[in-house]
Amino acid sequence: MDAKVWMYLAYLTVSIGLTVWVARALSRNGLVFLEDVFADKRLADAVNSLLVVGFYLLNLGYVTVAMKETDPVGDTSQALEQLSMKVGLVLLVLGALHFFNVFALGRYRRGRLRQQAAAHPPLAPVGYLLPQGGPRPVNPPAPAPAGPTPGQTPPAPPR
């Protein structure tokens, strides 16, 4: 076998291995995020499975399309250079898809949280707080007397 065939075999091995490893890691660690995004465990599991399938389809499709090399491969150093270029592109595609998914799910989560906040109107004020620092009111309210007012008889002590 010539260097080009070895390069293809190494490219497929590394690319498929990376795709499987990244898909498993994202699926396992992203489930917590999806449960928070959707607030429903069954829906999060279903979306997680669909994302993994889509991830495999996109990445393995890209790997197979990008496999063909039109330039001749003269020696092993050229084969390694072309192999690193191909694997690097696969890694960039994996990273771009990951960030796109996180961005889209984050936007969905923010929208869901806004809808939940709009469904609950704010509470009416119970009282008013006195200002902390700054200018004082011109005519502050007089404090309530601690004891009985003049002309009023004090309450009888308990027996």
Side-chain angles (χ1 to χ4, degrees), residues 38-106:
F38 293 110
D40 179 7
K41 183 160 176 39
R42 269 187 59 220
L43 181 61
D45 286 336
V47 169
N48 196 24
S49 296
L50 292 173
L51 283 173
V52 168
V53 170
F55 187 81
Y56 279 129
L57 290 173
L58 283 171
N59 286 298
L60 295 177
Y62 177 77
V63 165
T64 55
V65 167
M67 187 171 94
K68 182 175 181 176
E69 182 60 48
T70 57
D71 295 337
V73 179
D75 57 358
T76 55
S77 66
Q78 283 181 338
L80 286 175
E81 289 170 1
Q82 290 174 352
L83 176 65
S84 69
M85 179 66 91
K86 289 182 173 300
V87 171
L89 287 173
V90 168
L91 291 174
L92 289 173
V93 168
L94 287 171
L97 286 173
H98 170 66
F99 282 117
F100 173 75
N101 283 339
V102 169
F103 174 75
L105 290 170

Side-chain angles (χ1 to χ4, degrees), residues 130-151:
L130 293 175
Q132 302 292 323
R136 299 278 184 213
V138 178
N139 294 325
T149 58

Side-chain angles (χ1 to χ4, degrees), residues 3 15-16 24 27 34 43-44 92 103 119 122 124 149 151:
S15 297
I16 292 171
R24 286 184 179 173
S27 172
L34 290 174
L43 181 61
L92 289 173
F103 174 75
T149 58

